[in-house]
Each structure stands twice: as C-alpha cells, then as structure tokens.
Amino acid sequence: MSDDPIVAQAGPYQVELVEGQTYFYCRCGRSQTQPFCDGSHSVTDIEPLEFTAPSTGTFNLCGCKATDDEPWCDGSHNMI
C-alpha cells in the first residue's frame, strides 16, 4: 500500500468543533470517518494530526490532504 495520502474529498469538510476539545485529523485520506481518524492509517507510515479546537463553531477541514495549513482548508483543492 502506498504511503502517499489519498484525496478523501475534493473540497473541505465543514465540521462543528468545540473549543478546547482535542481531535485527530486524518492525514492519510483512508479513514471512513473523514475528516477524522479511524485508525486506517495503520497500513501506512502516515500519522494523524492531533489538534485542539481554538473556539467553538463551524470550521473547514481539508479533504484533499494537500493543505499547507493542516488541518484547515487553504484552498489547495482548487489546484489539484
């Protein structure tokens, strides 16, 4: 299996996050619970990104796995 991330979705995931709560963002693109990790990365060398929500609200998390601002969408999906 390739260790390259796969595009889970060609656009961001809009998710509700709770301030101070810890989340695990899927970096490999293989998770069935996108954009969050479900352990599917275990067949790769890719690890999820642990992050804490800066505030409560709706956020755009990267679905294409090409952002330069993980886990946040930076519009990279428009280039692929």
Side-chain angles (χ1 to χ4, degrees), residues 3 12 17 21 23 28 37-38 47 49 54 56-57 59 62 65-67 69 78-80:
D3 283 341
L17 301 179
Q21 186 167 330
Y23 298 90
C28 73
C37 177
D38 70 359
E47 294 291 323
L49 174 70
T56 297
F59 292 87
C62 178
K65 311 307 174 186
T67 184
D69 191 23
N78 293 316
M79 306 294 190
I80 57 174

Side-chain angles (χ1 to χ4, degrees), residues 4 7 11 13 21 24 31 45 48 52 54-55 57-58 62 75-76:
D4 293 328
V7 175
Y13 289 94
Q21 186 167 330
F24 289 88
S31 175
D45 287 334
T52 302
S55 59
T58 304
C62 178
S76 292

Side-chain angles (χ1 to χ4, degrees), residues 25-41:
Y25 166 72
C26 171
R27 286 176 153 165
C28 73
R30 292 163 175 81
S31 175
Q32 297 299 304
T33 59
Q34 289 293 332
F36 303 109
C37 177
D38 70 359
S40 295
H41 65 274

